[in-house]
Amino acid sequence: QSVLTQPPSVSGAPGQRVTISCTGSNSNIGAGYDVHWYQHLPGTAPQLLIYGNINRPSGVPDRFSGSKSGTSASLAITGLQAEDEADYYCQSYDSKLSWMFGGGTKVTVL
Amino acid sequence: EVQLVESGGGLVQPGGSLRLSCAASGFTFSSYWMHWVRQVPGKGLVWVSRINSDGSTTTYADSVKGRFTISRDNAKDTLYLQMNSLRAEDTAVYSCARASYYDSGGYQYYFDSWGQGTLVTVSS
């Protein structure tokens, strides 16, 4: 069981908006450690989507956005596309456990 | 273009050892912290270990502490993971990842480049 909690799955129709939550605690997100998000297609290398809670690396579409509040963070995908079907992971740092990932969320495009 | 290519995975018996390598190219390897992350097939990503840029400090997840050793050879642009006393629960795809950072109330690290991974299977 991951210290960062994500919903196992979310789904949406093409064009819709979906959000993925990442809930931590006062020893990680709540302690001021930032949250980063990755997209992972099985069999391929994970790709950085969001770093520092809200920042998109160059090349990442602006359909992806991140936010953080208190002990939680969220990733939003607007204008959902078929190519967005993948696993998504949040990542942060914990003062007791070092680097850590959420359990992952599978996004399904209906 | 940044490239990270892992090798050294395979089938090993419980209690055995294996050494993974991660060959880096396309960037100044000696300037970056490097990490190992693993994924049990069908499960999520799990952080394993990290090493700083000159190899002087290391950190491990509790699950591998005392059994795994991370190291690097900056002259060869290569990261290593020596895995000893392997257990069935160590079966996973092991990936290396480059860490970048920024200063925001302390250094904040994130993984901006990853390899595709190498499969380690621990079974008799």
Side-chain angles (χ1 to χ4, degrees):
Chain A
Q1 190 170 351
S2 302
V3 175
L4 300 179
T5 301
Q6 297 181 234
S9 63
V10 299
S11 61
Q16 284 190 331
R17 179 179 186 268
V18 297
T19 62
I20 302 169
S21 59
C22 175
T23 302
S25 68
N26 288 326
S27 63
N28 42 70
I29 299 174
Y33 295 107
D34 288 350
V35 178
H36 321 289
W37 292 90
Y38 305 87
Q39 180 190 61
H40 189 206
L41 289 161
T44 69
Q47 296 293 321
L48 177 67
L49 270 184
I50 299 287
Y51 68 95
N53 305 318
I54 61 171
N55 303 293
R56 279 188 313 276
S58 59
V60 173
D62 59 7
R63 302 184 292 103
F64 295 92
S65 62
S67 64
K68 174 188 167 184
S69 178
T71 58
S72 296
S74 289
L75 173 72
I77 311 173
T78 56
L80 195 64
Q81 299 182 4
E83 66 203 51
D84 299 332
E85 195 161 281
D87 298 321
Y88 293 81
Y89 294 89
C90 62
Q91 176 253 313
S92 187
Y93 183 87
D94 187 277
S95 57
K96 302 172 187 174
L97 301 172
S98 296
W99 287 269
M100 58 177 47
F101 294 92
T105 298
K106 182 175 180 59
V107 170
T108 301
V109 182
L110 302 173
Chain B
E1 179 195 2
V2 173
Q3 279 203 322
L4 297 169
V5 180
E6 301 90 343
S7 61
L11 176 64
V12 60
Q13 291 189 339
S17 298
L18 214 53
R19 188 199 201 198
L20 306 183
S21 299
C22 167
S25 61
F27 65 101
T28 305
F29 180 70
S30 60
S31 296
Y32 288 84
W33 287 27
M34 296 294 296
H35 295 243
W36 286 100
V37 176
R38 68 185 182 184
Q39 183 177 31
V40 174
K43 302 293 185 181
L45 301 173
V46 176
W47 175 79
V48 174
S49 181
R50 72 89 185 166
I51 188 168
N52 71 339
S53 55
D54 67 5
S56 60
T57 66
T58 58
T59 309
Y60 299 91
D62 287 345
S63 58
V64 307
K65 202 173 295 183
R67 300 187 300 122
F68 290 12
T69 302
I70 189 172
S71 63
R72 64 192 298 161
D73 185 336
N74 285 343
K76 295 183 178 179
D77 292 345
T78 303
L79 175 73
Y80 302 101
L81 186 67
Q82 177 68 42
M83 304 185 296
N84 299 331
S85 303
L86 282 162
R87 306 165 180 167
E89 55 264 36
D90 295 319
T91 294
V93 173
Y94 286 75
S95 299
C96 58
R98 186 182 81 168
S100 285
Y101 71 92
Y102 54 92
D103 191 354
S104 174
Y107 288 125
Q108 309 265 6
Y109 288 88
Y110 59 96
F111 308 119
D112 64 352
S113 294
W114 298 68
Q116 283 196 311
T118 185
L119 176 62
V120 172
T121 303
V122 184
S123 175
S124 54

